[in-house]
Amino acid sequence: SVSEVFDQHVRPFYIENLPALARAYPGSQRVLTNLRESGFQIAACTSGDRQTQTAALQAIGLWEYIEEMQTPDDSSFGKPDPRYLTELLAKFPQGGRVHHVEDSEVGIMMGRDCGAVTFFASYGNGTLSGEVQPDFILASIEELPMAILKANAQLSAMPLS
């Protein structure tokens, strides 16, 4: 079966070769450090399995920034079902505004349906068809802090309905 091939061949190859093949986007560690120091909590909501995604984040030096991670191993839901992200957000009981960075339209849809401010990572692997509109489009992760400030200013200026 496909899952047996993945489990026995693809995942082991991927995990073994990650340190040589994978790199974080330039500026990722600096941005995540600054966000964390500014009081943001950082979580990952991924379509990849927990073992592979943990290994990938460890290989690129970003695992230490992730407080919680949602994977298909943790849920009966998946993107774009908003319940998938809601389960992750429930692990942060203090709540707060959610800033959701994605490189897929299904992820943008999920974030939007949860009331998050959505940021499309155009530097990632996905593309926009024009049918899904994120709140912001990022050309690099280094644009994220300024985009968050802009989003927060816009939201603060909106009249209450």
Side-chain angles (χ1 to χ4, degrees):
S1 79
V2 173
S3 65
E4 287 173 340
V5 170
F6 181 82
D7 290 343
Q8 294 173 12
H9 302 285
V10 176
R11 182 188 294 134
F13 174 85
Y14 185 72
I15 290 173
E16 179 182 335
N17 290 283
L18 271 168
L21 299 174
R23 298 282 174 272
Y25 291 110
S28 297
Q29 289 180 324
R30 184 173 56 256
V31 167
L32 294 175
T33 297
N34 290 341
L35 289 173
R36 193 166 61 187
E37 289 174 354
S38 298
F40 285 83
Q41 295 182 286
I42 300 166
C45 190
T46 177
S47 297
D49 68 276
R50 179 166 287 280
Q51 182 184 6
T52 306
Q53 296 306 308
T54 300
L57 288 163
Q58 288 170 336
I60 63 175
L62 299 181
W63 178 246
E64 69 180 87
Y65 298 95
I66 307 301
E67 292 180 47
E68 297 285 351
M69 183 165 66
Q70 178 83 338
T71 74
D73 299 327
D74 309 311
S75 180
S76 57
F77 306 113
K79 298 176 185 181
D81 190 320
R83 293 173 290 187
Y84 191 58
L85 181 55
T86 301
E87 287 176 339
L88 174 61
L89 297 177
K91 297 174 183 175
F92 296 92
Q94 66 281 15
R97 188 169 290 152
V98 177
H99 300 275
H100 188 68
V101 180
E102 271 285 350
D103 70 351
S104 72
E105 286 189 331
V106 292
I108 293 292
M109 292 164 51
M110 179 184 67
R112 180 195 61 211
D113 291 347
C114 284
V117 178
T118 57
F119 302 85
F120 180 72
S122 66
Y123 54 89
N125 297 317
T127 57
L128 290 174
S129 67
E131 294 179 27
V132 177
Q133 296 298 322
D135 296 307
F136 294 88
I137 297 176
L138 305 174
S140 79
I141 192 171
E142 294 175 307
E143 294 179 359
L144 180 59
M146 192 57 69
I148 288 173
L149 288 174
K150 190 173 179 181
N152 287 346
Q154 289 174 357
L155 288 165
S156 297
M158 289 175 61
L160 297 174
S161 52

